[in-house]
Amino acid sequence: MPDVSDFVFPELDWSNTPYSGSVEELPTNLPPARGKPVLMTTFADANLGHDFISGKSVTGLLHFLNKTPFDWFSKKQGTVETATFGSENSAARSAIEQIRANKLTLLFMGVPLSGCPILLGDNKSVVDSGTIPHQQLHKRHLMLSYHFVREAIASGELRFAHINGEFNPSDVLSKHWGYQV
């Protein structure tokens, strides 16, 4: 007699069966790199406590290929932060997640990259703590976010540098919403 799980989770049986074909049949060839290499640059910013009702901050990210913007992101953060460090660190984590996704997309399209991507943020303490580990954190979600950013930088996956807030174009994406009273 069929069980309910046979209809709800048919992929479970499929995922546990061994692959019957040879390894040579698996698609492992990526398209060859074409054209001139491009440099990925991402600008990140956060606006602490933007929403007066919920207390949530806003993350703004602006992605460039060479000097051309190709992707942007602006969204309220999932947690309420009590300090600028927390909201800016959360923005850096979101930026790294998106950099990974964009890098993978370019790789599958056959676009060559010029060096490792660059992440620019306007909070010096977040940049310094990501590049020179010395931070003692007490909130678990901040620790996880901090180590996520730190690991990406330590592995050489990207470079994280400081930019003056006056020259950060992602400010437009984090401070554009009207304040709610």
Side-chain angles (χ1 to χ4, degrees):
M1 177 184 257
D3 188 16
V4 174
S5 65
D6 293 338
F7 300 104
V8 178
F9 304 110
E11 68 275 0
L12 291 179
D13 290 334
W14 175 81
S15 64
N16 291 330
T17 57
Y19 179 66
S20 61
S22 66
V23 176
E24 288 80 29
E25 294 177 22
L26 294 175
T28 56
N29 295 346
L30 294 175
R34 297 183 294 278
K36 294 182 179 179
V38 295
L39 176 64
M40 286 180 61
T41 308
T42 299
F43 294 89
D45 190 36
N47 188 3
L48 177 68
H50 181 79
D51 186 356
F52 289 146
I53 295 171
S54 68
K56 292 185 178 180
S57 304
V58 174
T59 294
L61 305 174
L62 190 55
H63 303 279
F64 284 81
L65 285 181
N66 292 336
K67 294 182 180 181
T68 306
F70 78 97
D71 192 15
W72 62 274
F73 176 82
S74 181
K75 186 177 177 185
K76 282 186 189 176
Q77 294 180 357
T79 58
V80 176
E81 299 296 339
T82 57
T84 306
F85 179 86
S87 62
E88 293 280 349
N89 200 25
S90 179
R93 179 189 42 78
S94 295
I96 291 171
E97 290 170 349
Q98 291 187 15
I99 288 170
R100 286 179 176 170
N102 290 334
K103 189 175 176 181
L104 191 60
T105 301
L106 292 172
L107 176 71
F108 284 134
M109 291 173 46
V111 177
L113 295 178
S114 172
C116 64
I118 300 170
L119 173 59
L120 299 168
D122 59 4
N123 189 304
K124 185 115 173 83
S125 63
V126 172
V127 173
D128 288 345
S129 71
T131 54
I132 307 165
H134 62 278
Q135 199 73 20
Q136 180 70 27
L137 301 171
H138 301 288
K139 293 183 181 177
R140 188 169 195 275
H141 74 279
L142 273 182
M143 285 189 282
L144 296 173
S145 182
Y146 165 79
H147 288 296
F148 184 84
V149 172
R150 179 71 193 122
E151 178 187 22
I153 295 166
S155 68
E157 181 179 343
L158 60 93
R159 291 181 294 173
F160 195 13
H162 178 259
I163 184 173
N164 192 333
E166 297 175 20
F167 306 112
N168 191 347
S170 64
D171 269 356
V172 174
L173 300 172
S174 64
K175 296 172 178 68
H176 69 287
W177 295 350
Y179 286 96
Q180 299 173 4
V181 180

